[in-house]
Amino acid sequence: MNPIRQALISVSDKAGLVEFAKDLAALNIKILSTGGTAKLLADNGIAATEVADHTGFPEMLDGRVKTLHPTIHGGLLARRDLPEHMAAIKAHAISTIDLLVVNLYPFEATVAKAGCTLEEAIENIDIGGPAMVRSAAKNWKGVAVVTDAAQYAAVLAEIQRDGSVSEATRFSLAVAAFNRISNYDAAISDYLSALQPDGSRSEFPGQANGRYVKLQDLRYGENPHQSAAFYRDLYPVAGTLAMAKQIQGKELSYNNIADADAAWECVKSFDDMPDRTACVIVKHANPCGVALGANPGEAYAKALQTDPTSAFGGIIAFNRPLDGATAEAVAKQFVEVVMAPSILPEAQKVFATKVNVRVLEIPPGPDGRNGRNSHDLKRVGSGLLIQTADNHVMTQADLKVVTKKQPTAAQLADLLFAWRVGKYVKSNAIVFCANSQTVGVGAGQMSRIDSARIASIKAQNAGLTLKDSVVASDAFFPFRDGLDVVIDAGAAAVIQPGGSMRDNEVVAAADERGIAMVFTGVRHFRH
């Protein structure tokens, strides 16, 4: 065990530092410090030696050079188990530094501010801090390196108990330190490689540096012969699946997580309707039932009605707190995952008897809103596709009526509802709706006509009528034949992007058949 006799403290974020330093000083640990950190310690009556006094070399270049000195790096890098290292630092009157406490200039926070200039960004690139962290982390067998205030308590407890930090903890701290440096450098690379000659920043930097933290290893991937793990963004957004809390149930599988994300992203798209509850049931990444209701129970009953066969073993999501009565209804069917912003105690009690059901809470952010991903990523052979996320929201004012027949107010509401659902259905997508409820969903077919026919078959199998329903198509109808199929099935109004070279023929067909049609000017391919 290497006793902690001397610590170097130099931090940008000083939260919790005074208390930590006081406790170190109480253990007779000598403290070295720099600049603003040294002043804070002195102001709080904590004895600390300025690094400039320790090295005999003054801080210079507005503080850019202060710790880049052999006395500092020799004290960090000298291996305690090599006599020649110890003899070398003794010959140069260098003392070992046993504990390094450093957090870096706030580069990420600086460039996140509106109007940040290149000069401001450059000034917030830390040089001495990362150099010291790398030195200490490389020599982890002799040095404990602390890079986050969240580590203070555990490190202090070990020092108070043993006078040192255990080897296992030092290694864990070193790994965290290298991860921090990696993420810091990646943030700098992302920012600088996105800069354009005119000073603007590209949506897509010249080098993409993914930063993810592993949440858990999974039993297997999509199939049992594949291995898998679940990661979250380094800076996750509230109200997203990676921030879910599992209350009960078996471990989530790869497919559970993929389907749960599809359900959650769809259901939270209805959060702007405070007087309605949305329920989404997903099977194999496609919504098989979506509905709005006055409460979770009503929304669930309507969503289940769309396709009870496919709902068997599905994923169920609600955008409002889940109550006991609805939980009792859900518990009557076989379900893999249930999720909501909160699971009320009476609902938890119901699901407790269904020990295998995975129950997730995904609370919104402090402002009560659910966040969304800013970008989507898809791996391809030796490459990566990155795009801005499809977060487009359609409003009634955006719609263009292109037929002689005008949609009614009720039809417009259902058309917008169908359009929201269609956004989360694999292309080619056809979604029939009535009274804020899906009544037939056709997904993932090579032909839009086949998707329309499948949606009609689904409705028939569920005992639902498509008469006077509305239908959403995620992309335009290239010919009138697809339109004729949905009209023959009972559709009285259609919402579609438009944009086909045969739009005039399709609109003429709608007029001929006496239905209303609106164009969105936006498509929602989902592959």
Side-chain angles (χ1 to χ4, degrees):
M1 302 290 279
N2 297 308
I4 304 296
R5 297 190 179 96
Q6 181 165 250
L8 193 161
I9 304 176
S10 180
V11 296
S12 176
D13 181 356
K14 298 175 175 58
L17 177 66
V18 170
E19 296 78 5
F20 182 56
K22 281 183 177 178
D23 288 331
L24 292 178
L27 296 169
N28 295 317
I29 295 172
K30 181 181 179 181
I31 297 176
L32 307 176
S33 193
T34 62
T37 302
K39 182 178 185 306
L40 176 67
L41 297 180
D43 290 345
N44 284 274
I46 302 169
T49 300
E50 286 263 11
V51 162
D53 295 328
H54 180 70
T55 62
F57 196 92
E59 291 187 13
M60 60 183 295
L61 306 181
D62 298 319
R64 288 189 177 202
V65 177
K66 51 191 174 188
T67 58
L68 296 170
H69 193 281
T71 300
I72 298 299
H73 286 272
L76 291 171
L77 283 166
R79 285 181 54 178
R80 279 62 164 169
D81 61 332
L82 293 181
E84 56 269 35
H85 278 207
M86 301 309 290
I89 64 171
K90 183 178 180 180
H92 293 281
I94 296 174
S95 58
T96 59
I97 297 171
D98 312 299
L99 174 66
L100 177 70
V101 183
V102 168
N103 56 53
L104 310 178
Y105 292 174
F107 179 84
E108 296 100 326
T110 298
V111 299
K113 294 177 182 176
C116 172
T117 65
L118 177 59
E119 182 179 0
E120 289 172 319
I122 295 296
E123 285 303 310
N124 277 278
I125 296 177
D126 203 329
I127 303 300
M132 288 192 293
V133 168
R134 291 176 68 90
S135 292
K138 177 175 180 175
N139 197 26
W140 62 270
K141 287 189 175 182
V143 184
V145 54
V146 174
T147 52
D148 191 312
Q151 300 165 335
Y152 289 172
V155 169
L156 181 64
E158 288 197 25
I159 299 173
Q160 289 173 330
R161 184 181 66 243
D162 303 320
S164 62
V165 178
S166 70
E167 184 170 298
T169 298
R170 277 183 271 121
F171 181 74
S172 176
L173 291 170
V175 172
F178 279 121
N179 287 343
R180 175 65 187 120
I181 298 303
S182 172
N183 291 326
Y184 193 72
D185 287 343
I188 295 169
S189 170
D190 283 344
Y191 173 81
L192 293 178
S193 65
L195 289 179
Q196 302 300 297
D198 63 0
S200 64
R201 289 170 65 180
S202 169
E203 184 79 42
F204 304 101
Q207 177 170 311
N209 300 281
R211 286 167 280 165
Y212 307 99
V213 178
K214 187 165 74 172
L215 294 179
Q216 65 187 98
D217 289 307
L218 303 175
R219 286 179 296 159
Y220 53 81
E222 260 183 315
N223 300 290
H225 63 276
Q226 296 170 267
S227 56
F230 183 27
Y231 289 77
R232 68 160 172 79
D233 289 330
L234 181 63
Y235 301 112
V237 177
T240 53
L241 185 66
M243 299 300 285
K245 174 185 176 184
Q246 185 168 352
I247 292 177
Q248 71 153 64
K250 295 191 298 184
E251 178 185 332
L252 288 162
S253 72
Y254 181 99
N255 292 329
N256 289 155
I257 293 168
D259 287 348
D261 186 61
W264 187 248
E265 289 300 307
C266 182
V267 82
K268 72 184 184 184
S269 70
F270 295 97
D271 283 352
D272 60 342
M273 300 179 179
D275 58 336
R276 310 296 297 278
T277 296
C279 175
V280 174
I281 306 174
V282 161
K283 189 68 171 289
H284 295 312
N286 276 302
C288 61
V290 182
L292 297 176
N295 53 63
E298 180 183 338
Y300 168 68
K302 291 170 67 177
L304 180 63
Q305 191 179 25
T306 304
D307 189 354
T309 301
S310 297
F312 182 84
I315 311 289
I316 303 177
F318 298 88
N319 69 339
R320 301 285 181 259
L322 185 58
D323 58 275
T326 306
E328 288 180 358
V330 171
K332 291 177 182 177
Q333 75 166 97
F334 171 51
V335 57
E336 291 277 4
V337 181
V338 178
M339 66 187 81
S342 67
I343 310 295
L344 300 180
E346 62 266 27
Q348 293 186 34
K349 185 176 180 180
V350 171
F351 288 124
T353 64
K354 304 284 185 178
V355 295
N356 289 331
V357 176
R358 303 159 179 89
V359 179
L360 308 181
E361 277 190 341
I362 310 180
D367 60 356
R369 302 181 65 178
N370 289 307
R372 291 190 174 277
N373 293 330
S374 60
H375 292 81
D376 288 332
L377 288 71
K378 181 178 292 187
R379 196 77 166 92
V380 296
S382 296
L384 185 70
L385 290 170
I386 305 177
Q387 65 175 348
T388 56
D390 186 2
N391 292 328
H392 184 273
V393 177
M394 185 65 58
T395 68
Q396 185 171 324
D398 298 321
L399 302 180
K400 178 183 179 182
V401 180
V402 294
T403 51
K404 297 173 183 176
K405 189 167 187 176
Q406 298 286 313
T408 65
Q411 285 176 332
L412 281 171
D414 274 339
L415 287 167
L416 287 170
F417 172 82
W419 186 249
R420 293 197 198 202
V421 176
K423 177 178 171 181
Y424 299 96
V425 177
K426 298 286 187 178
S427 189
N428 286 308
I430 293 290
V431 181
F432 287 88
C433 295
N435 301 317
S436 300
Q437 172 189 353
T438 53
V439 288
V441 179
Q445 299 304 303
M446 291 70 77
S447 163
R448 193 162 301 278
I449 294 176
D450 288 340
S451 287
R453 288 170 176 157
I454 288 171
S456 180
I457 292 170
K458 288 283 189 181
Q460 184 178 6
N461 290 343
L464 299 174
T465 179
L466 297 182
K467 182 176 171 54
D468 295 327
S469 62
V470 307
V471 68
S473 174
D474 64 337
F476 59 66
F477 288 98
F479 303 98
R480 69 167 290 166
D481 52 2
L483 181 67
D484 283 325
V485 169
V486 299
I487 296 173
D488 289 343
V494 172
I495 184 170
Q496 61 133 319
S500 167
M501 62 185 297
R502 294 183 176 83
D503 273 349
N504 290 339
E505 295 177 23
V506 175
V507 172
D511 284 334
E512 175 191 320
R513 300 295 301 271
I515 70 158
M517 180 183 288
V518 299
F519 282 1
T520 63
V522 175
R523 79 176 188 197
H524 284 309
F525 274 167
R526 186 176 179 86
H527 290 91

